[in-house]
Amino acid sequence: MSPEKQTQCIYLIPTGARVGLTSVSMGLVRALDRNGIKAAFFKPVAQLFRGDTGPERSTYVIRNTTELTPPEPIPYAEAEHEISAVGIDTLMERIMELYQPVAEDADVVVVEGLINMDEFEHANLLNKMIARTLDASFVFVSTPLKQDLSYLNSELRHSLHEFGGHSSERILGGIVNFVNAPRDDAGRLRPDLDIALPEHPITSETLLQECEIFKQGNLKLLATIPWLKEMAQSRTVDVAHHLNATILHEGEMEQRRIHKVFLCARNVEHITHVFRANALLLIPIDRVDLFFAACMAAANGIPMAGVVLTSANSEPKEEIMKFCSKALSSSGLPVMSVSTDSYTTATKIPRMNTEVPIDDRERINTGMNFVAGKIDHDWLKSLSSMQREIRLSPAAFRYRLVELSRQSPKRIILPEGNEPRTLEAAIICQKRGIANCVLLANPDEIQEIAEKNGLELPTGLEILDPETFRSSYVDILQELRKHKGMDRAMAASLLEDNVMLGTVMLKNGDVDGLVSGAVHTTAQTVRPALQLIKTKPGTRFVSSLFFMLLPEQVYIYADCAINENPDAETLAEIALQSADSAEAFGITPRVAMISYSTGVSGSGDDVEKVRKATEIAREKRPDLSIDGPLQYDAASTLSVAKTKAPQSAVAGKANVYIFPDLNTGNTTYKAVQRSANVISIGPMLQGLNKPVNDLSRGALVDDIVYTIALTAIQAGQ
């Protein structure tokens, strides 16, 4: 580590068992990353509890959900042996050796401490010694076991005293996790209990007013993290492992989640309410009628979590499974069997380990994002006092998209309203305040799709049936295109396409932006925009860019979708449009004009075009950091830049890449996206009077959410 750079080390100390230390560690790493603070993670010593065979959870999760590669922690038994054999100082030297590479390039290192329990008698000693060795500051992690906060206050006060007292500059504050979690009378976490929130739930205000240690200012409250019920929604495969079930039909066992468990024994007409999304049905193996009903419900599009056939001393008859095979295959319904009866099986399910399985990446990411959003923003910013350019990692960029879009929610039209991914994305955007989405679709059809996919339509989500108002835009479209010879009949025919209808609505000012492409081609999405929306005043043409979410930061690639072979003037304009877009989305642009030659080392028409474009862009915008021609490796890699372009302020540090033609740009973005498994958002169109953006037809729900967010941001600019 260079002497002028002081990495901040935060040591998380659990005040007791089952405080959710792993979720807090992961969430803090994510929160730092979102705020442009380069975070690292370190678990010095691994604690494996009864029945846990490894790997160490936190380190494994960090490796598999981020680009960080923390070292393997020292097993607790090995650490204890080393303390008794050669002394604790030797162990600390070993820990420091592991820590140094982690801290080398980080602003903040999150260190996860050990839980102090009878079976780990040296835990607190190790916490103190490791923290001292790493020159760390402390954050306590605790949880209220009951509504009475006296026990929480006692735990925190004891820990505060143990690690230096309230006057210690090393103690940064406390995080209170699992607030208002469902617990039994003994204080044990019970996600299966349908316990309503107490009349006066614990909030940050409650803790500050009623918990003495926070009220008196002896400890700063850094986060109040409520219980998140989604974190208790196990996958069907997890329950299958817990029950040691025999798998009869795997289906979508890895993806489906359990929201509710139902014991089924009555006749079908009395239990139709149980056939619903995310329900796990416990059916006695001799109730073939109920099993058939479940298969029929699944075949009709109800995504149930699965069926458990109980009291099964042998597999169901072959002809029964054969009879249901088509329904099972088409629906993905998981089916398993257990030897215990329904009641016994139902009582075993709540006794599952409440920790999230280490391979459940969806639930892990949900928890990380949730915790990250609850940590004090000002405190996070204070952790890195270095004057530096904000580094936008993929997580930070996506977070910024959401925050910017929320500042002034816009009305975004989605012509593909009846497409399930688009519907789910619209629901998320509406709930999170990202945008006011307008779905073009039949409301009854939307309701049916929502019910089949277990989605709840939020208040305020606007659904417009295009059949009820399509004709009202015929005259508008005919007027817009009359110079091209369009008559009313032609306009009416074109408006049968919802993308065209949405684009006319955008042109008419009825909505603020449009997102399409989940089922339409790029041409079908972009062509109406080019015909109707036109370019901004002073802009000669439309270009496109992709946000490339590389592991370390976000890059911009342009133009990779629109302009086939731009001349020098056009190429310069693409560079300036892309630099403006970068700044609008929180990226300080360093623009590299890409060519097959760097500086003056090469010649030819293609290189000269890039050289001239660079000169034009510099003349128009002398405030911009822009250089070219640069080869891609010279633009992206500091070691290469030192050799090929040592005087360049851009080389080796570029984040906006302008390609000389569509062939180069499109090929490069696809090569990087596929071979490096990089997420790309785009193409985002630049230069239009109003924002229209395209989706990949393979887009995931999150891709659509973030595209809607950036469209909303464009609409507000």
Side-chain angles (χ1 to χ4, degrees), residues 350-373:
R351 296 201 292 269
M352 286 180 63
N353 189 336
T354 57
E355 291 184 318
V356 179
I358 58 176
D359 64 338
D360 191 348
R361 296 187 64 168
E362 180 183 347
R363 205 160 22 140
I364 288 167
N365 270 304
T366 296
M368 289 175 75
N369 290 332
F370 183 73
V371 172

Side-chain angles (χ1 to χ4, degrees), residues 56-118:
E56 195 282 314
R57 294 177 56 80
S58 300
T59 302
Y60 182 92
V61 168
I62 282 287
R63 286 177 178 173
N64 285 275
T65 57
T66 72
E67 297 300 323
L68 302 177
T69 53
E72 197 67 34
I74 301 167
Y76 186 88
E78 190 176 318
E80 275 200 324
H81 174 75
E82 195 156 334
I83 291 172
S84 59
V86 294
I88 199 166
D89 288 344
T90 303
L91 177 63
M92 292 303 110
E93 289 174 16
R94 184 179 170 190
I95 287 173
M96 196 65 190
E97 286 177 7
L98 292 173
Y99 174 78
Q100 283 285 10
V102 175
E104 190 69 41
D105 195 33
D107 298 330
V108 176
V109 180
V110 176
V111 181
E112 185 175 295
L114 293 96
I115 300 171
N116 188 32
M117 297 174 66
D118 290 342

Side-chain angles (χ1 to χ4, degrees), residues 623-641:
D623 58 305
L624 275 181
S625 182
I626 182 168
D627 199 7
L630 290 170
Q631 291 165 285
Y632 191 97
D633 60 349
S636 63
T637 308
L638 201 56
S639 59
V640 176

Side-chain angles (χ1 to χ4, degrees), residues 241-385:
H241 291 156
H242 174 67
L243 297 176
N244 195 25
T246 300
I247 309 302
L248 303 179
H249 182 257
E250 184 173 353
E252 296 176 352
M253 187 172 282
E254 296 276 354
Q255 293 81 38
R256 299 205 179 181
R257 295 194 178 277
I258 300 166
H259 294 186
K260 191 78 173 175
V261 178
F262 291 100
L263 282 73
C264 305
R266 303 177 68 194
N267 290 338
V268 173
E269 62 266 26
H270 299 301
I271 60 167
T272 54
H273 65 282
V274 308
F275 302 118
R276 66 191 200 190
N278 307 113
L280 182 69
L281 309 184
L282 308 185
I283 299 176
I285 195 167
D286 59 354
R287 290 301 303 270
V288 177
D289 57 327
L290 299 182
F291 179 51
F292 282 172
C295 292
M296 184 181 296
N300 280 321
I302 299 175
M304 292 176 290
V307 171
V308 181
L309 298 176
T310 64
S311 303
N313 295 316
S314 61
E315 293 185 12
K317 292 181 180 180
E318 185 178 344
E319 56 266 28
I320 294 174
M321 295 302 294
K322 187 176 181 180
F323 185 80
C324 298
S325 61
K326 189 172 182 180
L328 294 175
S329 297
S330 64
S331 67
L333 178 68
V335 181
M336 65 191 92
S337 65
V338 294
S339 59
T340 51
D341 61 43
S342 295
Y343 178 78
T344 304
T345 305
T347 59
K348 286 178 69 175
I349 292 174
R351 296 201 292 269
M352 286 180 63
N353 189 336
T354 57
E355 291 184 318
V356 179
I358 58 176
D359 64 338
D360 191 348
R361 296 187 64 168
E362 180 183 347
R363 205 160 22 140
I364 288 167
N365 270 304
T366 296
M368 289 175 75
N369 290 332
F370 183 73
V371 172
K374 300 298 180 183
I375 299 175
D376 186 292
H377 181 80
D378 292 335
W379 174 68
L380 290 169
K381 284 293 185 184
S382 73
L383 291 175
S384 181
S385 57

Side-chain angles (χ1 to χ4, degrees), residues 299-609:
N300 280 321
I302 299 175
M304 292 176 290
V307 171
V308 181
L309 298 176
T310 64
S311 303
N313 295 316
S314 61
E315 293 185 12
K317 292 181 180 180
E318 185 178 344
E319 56 266 28
I320 294 174
M321 295 302 294
K322 187 176 181 180
F323 185 80
C324 298
S325 61
K326 189 172 182 180
L328 294 175
S329 297
S330 64
S331 67
L333 178 68
V335 181
M336 65 191 92
S337 65
V338 294
S339 59
T340 51
D341 61 43
S342 295
Y343 178 78
T344 304
T345 305
T347 59
K348 286 178 69 175
I349 292 174
R351 296 201 292 269
M352 286 180 63
N353 189 336
T354 57
E355 291 184 318
V356 179
I358 58 176
D359 64 338
D360 191 348
R361 296 187 64 168
E362 180 183 347
R363 205 160 22 140
I364 288 167
N365 270 304
T366 296
M368 289 175 75
N369 290 332
F370 183 73
V371 172
K374 300 298 180 183
I375 299 175
D376 186 292
H377 181 80
D378 292 335
W379 174 68
L380 290 169
K381 284 293 185 184
S382 73
L383 291 175
S384 181
S385 57
M386 294 178 292
Q387 295 296 313
R388 58 185 174 79
E389 179 182 307
I390 294 294
R391 178 192 63 91
L392 277 184
S393 69
F397 178 70
R398 293 192 295 267
Y399 177 72
R400 180 165 294 222
L401 282 184
V402 171
E403 290 304 302
L404 288 174
S405 65
R406 280 174 169 167
Q407 290 176 9
S408 179
K410 299 297 179 181
R411 201 161 177 250
I412 307 300
I413 195 158
L414 306 174
E416 301 161 326
N418 59 356
E419 198 282 319
R421 292 168 296 163
T422 302
L423 173 58
E424 187 172 351
I427 290 171
I428 292 170
C429 288
Q430 197 72 30
K431 287 182 175 179
R432 297 176 66 185
I434 291 171
N436 297 317
C437 294
V438 181
L439 298 167
L440 285 185
N442 180 284
D444 292 336
E445 184 182 2
I446 290 292
Q447 187 64 48
E448 184 179 347
I449 293 169
E451 289 176 359
K452 282 187 175 181
N453 289 275
L455 303 174
E456 183 179 341
L457 299 179
T459 303
L461 181 60
E462 194 172 354
I463 304 168
L464 297 181
D465 187 347
E467 301 306 323
T468 63
F469 68 92
R470 206 186 296 273
S471 59
S472 63
Y473 285 93
V474 172
D475 289 339
I476 297 171
L477 177 57
Q478 192 268 331
E479 179 66 24
L480 289 170
R481 299 291 288 170
K482 67 181 181 181
H483 65 287
K484 292 291 186 179
M486 182 174 290
D487 58 25
R488 291 191 87 258
M490 294 168 63
S493 176
L494 285 173
L495 284 168
E496 290 297 316
D497 176 10
N498 281 354
V499 177
M500 177 61 80
L501 176 59
T503 307
V504 178
M505 293 173 70
L506 177 60
K507 173 66 177 178
N508 202 48
D510 300 324
V511 292
D512 301 308
L514 180 147
V515 173
S516 180
V519 293
H520 289 84
T521 65
T522 296
Q524 289 171 321
T525 296
V526 173
R527 188 183 299 114
L530 297 177
Q531 292 171 342
L532 302 178
I533 303 300
K534 308 293 186 182
T535 58
K536 293 177 180 177
T539 302
R540 295 186 298 116
F541 58 89
V542 173
S543 67
S544 73
L545 63 77
F546 282 87
F547 293 100
M548 305 296 290
L549 276 57
L550 275 74
E552 285 297 317
Q553 68 181 96
V554 177
Y555 287 171
I556 286 176
Y557 285 4
D559 178 355
C560 305
I562 302 293
N563 296 283
E564 187 173 346
N565 191 21
D567 58 21
E569 285 277 357
T570 304
L571 196 60
E573 188 64 30
I574 292 171
L576 298 182
Q577 287 180 352
S578 301
D580 287 342
S581 293
E583 288 181 330
F585 288 92
I587 299 170
T588 303
R590 291 185 297 274
V591 184
M593 308 294 285
I594 301 299
S595 178
Y596 61 77
S597 173
T598 294
V600 297
S601 65
S603 60
D605 291 343
D606 291 338
V607 178
E608 288 304 317
K609 178 179 79 169

Side-chain angles (χ1 to χ4, degrees), residues 210-230:
E210 298 181 17
C211 191
E212 291 298 317
I213 198 164
F214 295 124
K215 182 179 180 179
Q216 295 172 359
N218 293 333
L219 193 66
K220 180 179 174 62
L221 180 61
L222 303 178
T224 304
I225 304 169
W227 168 254
L228 183 66
K229 67 177 182 179
E230 285 81 1

